[in-house]
Amino acid sequence: MSQTIDPAVVEHVTALAERARTASRRLALMSRAEKDAALLLLADAVDAAAPTVIEANAEDIERGRATGMSESLQDRLRLDGARVAAVAQALRDVAALPDPVGEIVRGSTLANGLQIRQVRVPMGVIGMIYEARPNVTVDAAGLALKSGNAVLLRGGSAAASSNHALVEAMRGSLAQQGLPVDAVTLLEEGGRDAARALMTARGHVDLVIPRGGADLIETVVRESTVPVIETGVGVCHVYVDRAADLDQARAITLNAKTHRPSVCNAAESLLVHRDVAADFLPKALTDLAGAGVRLHVAPEVTPYAEAAGAAYALASEADFGTEWHGLEMSVAVVDDLDEAMDRIRRFGTGHTEAIVTEDRAAARRFTAEVDAAAVMVNASTRFTDGGEFGFGAEIGISTQKLHARGPMALPELTTTKWIVEGDGHTR
């Protein structure tokens, strides 16, 4: 590592991790019924704390405005009554999900009579490092508890007050239930050194999951000595094929870009087959302009952008690989499916890619050849989400290929162990 970590911060984080380890042993022994009951009470606690949480969130928002935080980041940070209720409901949704712990992944009885089975078990202690998304605080706590893990949370300073209020509500509920409060711990001291200490707490922390922008994820992947699941920067594309239903393509494009433009599954780039560009782009760009989207266009898209009355600029090469986090989008015309897939290989981040087409052969090629955690056919990129997939709350969307890929929920927070039972067997 390039920077020395304050030894006092290392000692502090290590002590918290060891307390979390002790808590995790208790959680690993809980039945599904016990964990579900605990989650429902945590949800009630979050609901009850809503006024306090919203007041704390207002402090974060005001601090963000004073430091020039963008509107898209403020949207990610903001909590109102409906959003706090949704956060609490996510805990109830997790309680309703099957418990992965104890699931037999595979098993058999060998010819010699040995019985072997591979069983899901908790990871142990999970570290979460994330930015201005206070809902992640509760989602991570709920998913960790349900999967039998303790969690150490290192949220961004932008959401410090909100995170504190949410964690205090949950720890208070755990204490009232007679459960270890160290099952959910927020790292509030030590600044960036606390995050670095968490990343390097190998032997004390079993897994680190970063969730945020490219700089955060790259830093964690580069500096962590604890195993990392890399979650997704989302440069997501919508490709409108020559055989697309153009009305459907307009609706998908508009939804993918504008439904919630600040999140990682929002579309950042629109690719249109040359054969339908003249029919599709005037209407689609008018839709996007009407929604306030600023366009970054390839030269041949310029006349369509002008006719649509859109705010636009000529796109640089870098623009086609940019995650905008807001109402901006790059647009290009491609000669065919192969060029579209080539651009996705060059500029995509392996998160979510979408094709709009009525040509089954084109759809089959796209789903087989595009290398991404999720590939959509005639559907918005916004569906890459644990809740939309029926997983309940998610802890992140993995863009790596090892262990977990795509929306990560309960099974991805477990590992396995082999249990072998014999009757005096020797080898």
Side-chain angles (χ1 to χ4, degrees):
M1 289 185 58
S2 59
Q3 292 177 290
T4 301
I5 307 173
D6 183 345
V9 175
V10 173
E11 183 178 355
H12 173 66
V13 171
T14 301
L16 293 179
E18 284 307 300
R19 284 156 53 181
R21 175 75 64 197
T22 300
S24 75
R25 297 191 184 104
R26 170 78 181 279
L27 299 179
L29 298 176
M30 292 173 67
S31 68
R32 174 181 175 175
E34 291 170 328
K35 289 187 285 189
D36 291 350
L39 285 165
L40 294 176
L41 289 171
L42 285 182
D44 292 344
V46 171
D47 271 334
T52 302
V53 170
I54 292 168
E55 182 179 350
N57 183 252
E59 295 174 7
D60 289 332
I61 294 289
E62 184 57 36
R63 197 164 54 246
R65 285 182 182 143
T67 56
M69 179 184 288
S70 69
E71 285 295 331
S72 62
L73 285 179
Q74 287 182 47
D75 176 60
R76 286 187 172 208
L77 174 59
R78 185 173 290 105
L79 291 174
D80 55 21
R83 287 191 179 182
V84 174
V87 165
Q89 183 58 42
L91 291 170
R92 298 185 180 99
D93 293 342
V94 172
L97 295 171
D99 185 350
V101 177
E103 175 191 342
I104 298 173
V105 178
R106 54 182 165 165
S108 62
T109 300
L110 304 183
N112 62 6
L114 274 180
Q115 295 180 349
I116 66 171
R117 61 188 186 276
Q118 186 183 21
V119 180
R120 289 196 183 278
V121 296
M123 285 279 183
V125 178
I126 296 172
M128 279 292 300
I129 301 175
Y130 55 104
E131 294 177 323
R133 292 287 293 274
N135 63 297
V136 175
T137 300
V138 178
D139 289 351
L143 286 165
L145 192 154
K146 177 81 175 203
S147 54
N149 298 292
V151 65
L152 293 170
L153 302 164
R154 175 62 189 177
S157 59
S161 299
S162 306
N163 290 337
H164 177 83
L166 289 165
V167 170
E168 284 296 294
M170 290 188 289
R171 283 172 65 94
S173 177
L174 290 171
Q176 289 177 358
Q177 296 178 56
L179 295 174
V181 295
D182 295 317
V184 181
T185 301
L186 181 64
L187 301 185
E188 298 188 85
E189 302 173 17
R192 293 185 178 181
D193 274 2
R196 295 189 182 97
L198 181 59
M199 289 183 246
T200 54
R202 192 174 182 91
H204 304 285
V205 175
D206 298 294
L207 175 69
V208 168
I209 303 172
R211 186 167 173 179
D215 289 345
L216 170 70
I217 294 167
E218 288 171 9
T219 298
V220 174
V221 170
R222 183 177 65 250
E223 297 191 7
S224 182
T225 60
V226 175
V228 175
I229 293 180
E230 186 172 348
T231 61
V233 174
V235 179
C236 306
H237 295 75
V238 173
Y239 165 56
V240 179
D241 187 48
R242 66 186 299 178
D245 177 321
L246 298 187
D247 289 335
Q248 192 178 87
R250 284 174 62 190
I252 288 170
T253 300
L254 188 65
N255 178 264
K257 177 68 264 183
T258 67
H259 180 254
R260 196 169 177 197
S262 65
V263 295
C264 62
N265 59 16
E268 306 293 11
S269 189
L270 173 64
L271 305 176
V272 182
H273 195 291
R274 185 173 303 282
D275 289 357
V276 296
D279 290 332
F280 177 72
L281 283 172
K283 295 176 183 177
L285 298 190
T286 298
D287 294 341
L288 293 168
V293 178
R294 176 175 172 79
L295 304 174
H296 300 262
V297 301
E300 62 190 304
V301 179
T302 300
Y304 301 113
E306 288 180 348
Y312 76 94
L314 281 177
S316 67
E317 184 85 351
D319 286 342
F320 287 102
T322 296
E323 184 178 25
W324 301 107
H325 291 302
L327 289 172
E328 298 186 67
M329 192 177 208
S330 61
V331 187
V333 173
V334 296
D335 288 335
D336 51 27
L337 174 62
D338 286 297
E339 185 182 351
M341 292 192 294
D342 180 63
R343 292 184 73 92
I344 289 169
R345 279 189 288 272
R346 287 165 58 200
F347 299 114
T349 54
H351 191 295
T352 302
E353 306 296 352
I355 182 173
V356 186
T357 188
E358 298 300 307
D359 181 342
R360 291 187 179 183
R364 282 195 299 270
R365 280 199 62 203
F366 193 86
T367 57
E369 296 181 40
V370 168
D371 186 11
V375 182
M376 305 290 175
V377 179
N378 297 329
S380 171
T381 58
R382 286 283 290 123
F383 283 104
T384 305
D385 176 89
E388 294 294 329
F389 280 16
F391 301 160
E394 71 180 27
I395 204 161
I397 297 173
S398 171
T399 54
Q400 64 169 28
K401 297 185 182 182
L402 298 178
H403 172 62
R405 197 179 195 195
M408 295 186 295
L410 295 168
E412 288 73 30
L413 297 183
T414 63
T415 183
T416 63
K417 69 169 58 171
W418 287 93
I419 297 174
V420 181
E421 294 187 10
D423 186 19
H425 284 66
T426 58
R427 180 179 176 184

